[in-house]
Amino acid sequence: MTTLDTSAPATGKEAARAKFAGYFVGLSRWKIGEVLFWLALVGAYFVPDMNIILLGHILIWGLFAMSLDLLLGYRGIPSLGHAGFFGIGAYAAGFLGKYGWTEPISGLLFAMAIAGAVGLVTGRFVQRVHGVALLMVTLSLNLILYDAVHRATDVTGGDDGLQGIVIDPVLGLFRFDIFGKTAYWYALIVTFLLFLVARALVKSPFGLSLLGARENTRRMIMLGAPIERDVSFVFAISAALAGAAGALLTQTTQFVAPSALSFDRSADVLVILIIGGTARLYGAFIGAIIFLFMRDWLAALSPVYWYFWIGLLLVIVVSFFRRGVLPTLETLLQRLRAR
Amino acid sequence: MNAARDIVLATRNLRMAFGGLAVFDNLNFELGRGERHAIIGPNGAGKTTFVSLVTGLLTPISGDVEFNGAAITRLSPQQRVKAGIARTFQINTLFRGLNPLESMVLALCERDGRSGQAVTSVSREKPQIDEALAMLERFGLQEGALTLTDMLPYGQQRLLEVALALALKPQVLLLDEPAAGLSTQQGHELFSQLVELTAGTTILFIEHDMNLVFRYAEKVSVLAAGSMVVQDTPDNVRNHPRVREVYLGV
Ligand SMILES: Nc1ncnc2c1ncn2[C@@H]1O[C@H](COP(=O)(O)OP(=O)(O)O)[C@@H](O)[C@H]1O
Ligand SMILES: [Mg+2]
């Protein structure tokens, strides 16, 4: 902007303008930490003795928690029933695979579309509900759905789960193996692509209006913002991404049981997001890494009481890290740099 | 003179109550285009309620709000904003966790219908970013443009409250006690700044400091006991016997 006349020293005003104009560019630029994060997920596969199956589950949980982050972290809408969308995606992919549509990528897209459509309707339905009432409504919807799936044994297999799901090799080339190798790459690529979608969304003007509505709905209304349309939309996107996570679980394990949409899962994904930190997308993945590694390790130590330790961790995070692990690390890094 | 007054905003027989508590029985009010018009009245008279009825955050029991001659009583708050009515709040209603630059760009993206764009970065919205910077400079808010709104000095938050509303380029701007919480000195500074910044916009403001009202308003309406007691020039209002009686307490 001030490149025409380089001889004259930039006035304070011009310098300030240049700085401010670059602010949003800086926000959406890829940081080195981000690149390292995804490279680490690629590299982790090659670490000797790595538990690839666990790693795959981390991706699925991370994607699931990220979907909740759009709703809770960015828009400020809490949900205690997010597993409902995960389960809808999981069962949608399962039914396709069971009844003959075995191609995985179109199956995944179909599951996302179904979960997204249910999310859109849910978003419209809960638009005027807030706070504790909203927690109750989302929780109830989740429980109703769970109960329905649980009881409809003819259709869903009930507690025994949906048997006989067939999933073709990815792109006709990569068969899902018992070591979880194909599963990991498939989950990694899908998760990364969907992360790109979410990242673009939160850095866009729409993402900014989500933050605005989270910060102050009244002001948003007085800016003329269609906040109800926005709630439906973010619900739909969030649900579609949760559905993708569910579909990944079904496709990579060729199995789905009612636990996919249990309330426990809704609670766990909330715990993961809060441990990792909200409104930064990566918090979801950091939380998933901490949660799943701890669960794996603790369950080996004491198979019955592992959740006690997870609970303790949550208490520690909420008391000492407040906004979650990732934001605290970010602040620490910034302070170190400023020295 | 009066016959030629071009009415931009009016209320007709507005009735409003909260539960059993009647606020207005029959409120009639007219705002002329280009005016800088003050509403005064004792605490609890219903000034804020009036602004919320005009902007659609509250719905009257009966009666109409008219904008440019057409009833807007059934329009949503957002539709009224789009039609050209903007407001500020008595209590700061800001994006506390965003900085002024983000807040202003957000306001402009909403105004320009860019807020549904969910694919490319905000940094691509060049016209809105440039305008946001210019707007913040006009209000002297550029220093703290990247500071969290919550961390800004209170006086700057008050200015931002007005800046966000004015950024919408409204035909009518309603300011609900813009100087609330400021010292007398700061209040005078704010008003002298506002008069300059809002030149060309029709302003309806609520203010309890009579010095500010009589200095800056071109027309004054007195709201008391559920109706507009007087609507006149500052001088006539000052000398009106009923006003002296019910409001100025003389
Ligand atoms: N949301 C509300 N619910 C119930 N009563 C209200 C509400 N808002 C205002 N009131 C009452 O309506 C009257 C007018 O309030 P308000 O418009 O805020 O007055 P002012 O702005 O003139 O001080 C007051 O008696 C107030 O207590
Ligand atoms: Mg008031």
Side-chain angles (χ1 to χ4, degrees), chain B residues 18 31 48 51 87 107 133 156 191:
Chain B
F18 291 108
L31 177 67
T48 297
V51 171
R87 76 170 286 182
L133 289 172
Q156 293 198 8
F191 263 87

Side-chain angles (χ1 to χ4, degrees), chain A:
Chain A
M1 256 177 215
T2 54
T3 50
L4 282 180
D5 189 0
T6 45
S7 57
T11 64
K13 215 175 197 180
E14 282 168 341
R17 272 216 175 182
K19 179 175 121 200
F20 295 148
Y23 173 72
F24 290 105
V25 178
L27 278 189
S28 43
R29 187 180 292 134
W30 276 77
K31 315 284 182 301
I32 185 80
E34 294 187 80
V35 178
L36 290 177
F37 177 83
W38 291 102
L39 285 179
L41 285 175
V42 172
Y45 176 86
F46 300 101
V47 173
D49 296 329
M50 178 55 80
N51 185 342
I52 304 291
I53 291 178
L54 179 67
L55 226 48
H57 280 128
I58 285 177
L59 290 173
I60 292 171
W61 275 104
L63 174 60
F64 183 29
M66 183 186 81
S67 77
L68 181 61
D69 198 19
L70 290 180
L71 202 61
L72 176 61
Y74 286 90
R75 180 53 182 78
I77 298 178
S79 166
L80 265 183
H82 219 50
F85 301 121
F86 183 95
I88 288 169
Y91 273 93
F95 283 124
L96 273 194
K98 183 178 165 84
Y99 295 109
W101 189 277
T102 50
E103 199 289 310
I105 294 172
S106 55
L108 183 85
L109 292 174
F110 173 78
M112 286 178 69
I114 300 281
V118 176
L120 191 71
V121 175
T122 312
R124 292 199 71 107
F125 179 64
V126 302
Q127 240 150 42
R128 287 163 202 283
V129 190
H130 304 281
V132 179
L134 184 57
L135 290 178
M136 290 306 105
V137 170
T138 50
L139 171 63
S140 311
L141 289 175
N142 190 175
L143 293 177
I144 291 168
L145 192 63
Y146 177 82
D147 207 44
V149 170
H150 186 78
R151 276 168 198 252
T153 41
D154 293 348
V155 188
T156 63
D159 266 344
D160 296 336
L162 201 59
Q163 312 281 346
I165 298 170
V166 179
I167 304 293
D168 285 348
V170 182
L171 302 173
L173 294 173
F174 306 100
R175 185 167 297 283
F176 285 106
D177 54 287
I178 56 163
F179 308 108
K181 290 180 181 175
T182 301
Y184 184 67
W185 290 116
Y186 180 58
L188 182 56
I189 290 166
V190 168
T191 301
F192 181 64
L193 291 177
L194 294 177
F195 168 80
L196 291 182
V197 171
R199 191 183 188 279
L201 184 142
V202 302
K203 313 263 179 195
S204 72
F206 180 75
L208 190 55
S209 32
L210 288 183
L211 293 179
R214 178 192 76 187
E215 293 294 313
N216 202 322
T217 327
R218 244 167 181 244
R219 168 59 71 180
M220 283 301 274
I221 292 173
M222 279 299 119
L223 293 178
I227 48 171
E228 287 166 4
R229 178 203 73 185
D230 292 357
V231 168
S232 301
F233 185 60
V234 73
F235 244 101
I237 295 279
S238 174
L241 295 184
L248 280 181
L249 182 65
T250 302
Q251 293 184 333
T252 56
T253 58
Q254 276 118 63
F255 177 72
V256 53
S259 68
L261 38 70
S262 68
F263 168 68
D264 285 2
R265 190 178 289 273
S266 292
D268 284 351
V269 75
L270 201 56
V271 168
I272 285 174
L273 183 60
I274 288 172
I275 288 178
T278 56
R280 52 237 317 124
L281 299 186
Y282 285 100
F285 293 96
I286 300 292
I289 290 170
I290 296 174
F291 186 91
L292 270 86
F293 270 113
M294 276 198 71
R295 186 170 77 177
D296 193 53
W297 180 60
L298 292 170
L301 284 183
S302 66
V304 186
Y305 294 114
W306 65 270
Y307 213 95
F308 167 80
W309 297 105
I310 296 276
L312 191 63
L313 173 72
L314 185 64
V315 171
I316 290 171
V317 165
V318 173
S319 340
F320 295 103
F321 293 83
R322 285 287 152 81
R323 299 173 304 144
V325 171
L326 187 56
T328 311
L329 289 181
E330 284 168 4
T331 315
L332 262 177
L333 262 177
Q334 275 169 10
R335 286 211 189 126
L336 285 178
R337 264 195 217 142
R339 287 239 174 131

Side-chain angles (χ1 to χ4, degrees), chain B residues 47-48 90 176-177:
Chain B
K47 305 181 293 295
T48 297
Q90 186 171 349
D176 192 354
E177 304 206 20

